[in-house]
Amino acid sequence: SATSVRHLASDCRVAWRWLEIRDVNNHLVSVIELLSPSNKTPVASENMARRHEQLIRAGVNVVEIDLIRGGTRTLPDLMSAELKESSSQTLYLVIVGKAHCPDERQVYYCPLRERLPAFAIPLRATDEPVPLDLQPLIDRSYQTGRYWQLSQRPLPPPGIAVDEQVWVDQHRAAAGLIDA
């Protein structure tokens, strides 16, 4: 119901790099996790994939936000193979695992040239998912955190596609960060 969704949404706790959504009885409903470079080492990514699978099998929804270009994906092997085939689309992904559909994952591609897509945060099986639009938060963090100042530094490996680099350089030049 709308009331229980409001209660769920109002009872969010931020902890480190993840957000937990709990119901009014303090049962864990969903985990939203923003990956860091340390999550994408081979050992850490395997552990994280295993932990996410355990959470989903235990009835907890898992949303993984991967905005890191490098490193190892934290996905089940079968899904990793499928993504390799379509990896030309983007290196950035949001992956949603629903507890009531444990063998399925929704993948939201986040191309560099486009705003981050709003994606559905699953709640209980009886509740409608709630859309989450992170782009305004990313934009604000970029400006207030002065991350735009880092734009003049070379990117660490892996590099980006040539056409994306041209697009990035055009935006950096328009912002006065590099010579045109």
Side-chain angles (χ1 to χ4, degrees), residues 8 18 32 42 58 62 68-69 79 86 92 102-103 105 131 147 151:
L8 282 169
W18 69 88
I32 304 168
V62 176
I68 307 291
R69 286 190 334 275
M79 191 168 189
S86 60
Y92 312 110
D103 295 322
R105 300 291 187 278
Y147 292 104
S151 298

Side-chain angles (χ1 to χ4, degrees), residues 17 21 26 28 37 49 55 57 65 69 105 111 123 164 174-175:
R17 288 189 172 115
I21 299 174
N26 204 32
L28 187 59
L55 283 167
R57 300 285 176 198
I65 303 168
R69 286 190 334 275
R105 300 291 187 278
L123 300 173
E164 287 183 338

Side-chain angles (χ1 to χ4, degrees), residues 39-90:
N39 297 130
K40 294 191 71 179
T41 65
V43 172
S45 65
E46 189 176 310
N47 291 339
M48 181 172 276
R50 193 175 313 114
R51 185 174 60 83
H52 285 178
E53 192 64 30
Q54 289 171 344
L55 283 167
I56 289 169
R57 300 285 176 198
V60 177
N61 304 298
V62 176
V63 178
E64 180 180 307
I65 303 168
D66 183 358
L67 302 178
I68 307 291
R69 286 190 334 275
T72 306
R73 296 239 188 245
T74 61
L75 300 168
D77 290 337
L78 178 61
M79 191 168 189
S80 292
E82 290 175 20
L83 282 177
K84 283 181 186 174
E85 294 174 15
S86 60
S87 65
S88 61
Q89 290 188 21
T90 182

Side-chain angles (χ1 to χ4, degrees), residues 120-148:
I121 302 295
L123 300 173
R124 296 175 293 204
T126 57
D127 294 326
E128 287 295 316
V130 176
L132 179 61
D133 185 0
L134 286 179
Q135 189 65 55
L137 176 64
I138 298 291
D139 292 344
R140 183 178 166 119
S141 297
Y142 183 74
Q143 289 299 323
T144 60
R146 299 180 188 234
Y147 292 104
W148 55 271

